[in-house]
Amino acid sequence: VQYYQEALKIVPENPLILSNLALSYAAQKQFAVAVSTMKKAIIGFAGDADRSRQAELNLALIYGLGGMKEPAETLLRKNLA
């Protein structure tokens, strides 16, 4: 987490860094901050359908790990249809 936070000081709002940071937060069971960070990454990937889709799937993973079944299923249905 610390390294990604430092990287964001150099390249603020970089969606790749935000996405990796979000997954790191999820690994530490900080699900609320992981969700909000991944949502920022998704916004940053606007215009790149493939990366946006991958970030949404990662958000579904974070929701699932955090026990948030409904939003996880909704994102999975949207992106795997």
Side-chain angles (χ1 to χ4, degrees), residues 4-54:
Y4 292 122
Q5 291 171 333
E6 291 296 319
L8 285 172
K9 291 178 184 176
I10 299 166
V11 190
E13 302 301 316
N14 180 291
L16 288 172
I17 297 170
L18 287 167
S19 179
N20 289 333
L21 177 59
L23 292 171
S24 295
Y25 282 133
Q28 294 180 350
K29 300 184 191 247
Q30 298 179 41
F31 298 112
V33 69
V35 166
S36 65
T37 303
M38 189 60 75
K39 286 181 177 180
K40 288 180 187 176
I42 291 167
I43 291 167
F45 285 131
D48 186 334
D50 290 336
R51 287 188 174 176
S52 181
R53 180 175 181 258
Q54 184 59 54

Side-chain angles (χ1 to χ4, degrees), residues 33-78:
V33 69
V35 166
S36 65
T37 303
M38 189 60 75
K39 286 181 177 180
K40 288 180 187 176
I42 291 167
I43 291 167
F45 285 131
D48 186 334
D50 290 336
R51 287 188 174 176
S52 181
R53 180 175 181 258
Q54 184 59 54
E56 286 190 355
L57 289 170
N58 285 338
L59 180 56
L61 171 67
I62 293 168
Y63 279 138
L65 291 171
M68 297 168 267
K69 185 178 177 180
E70 280 188 40
E73 288 179 354
T74 299
L75 281 173
L76 287 171
R77 282 190 185 105
K78 174 187 172 191

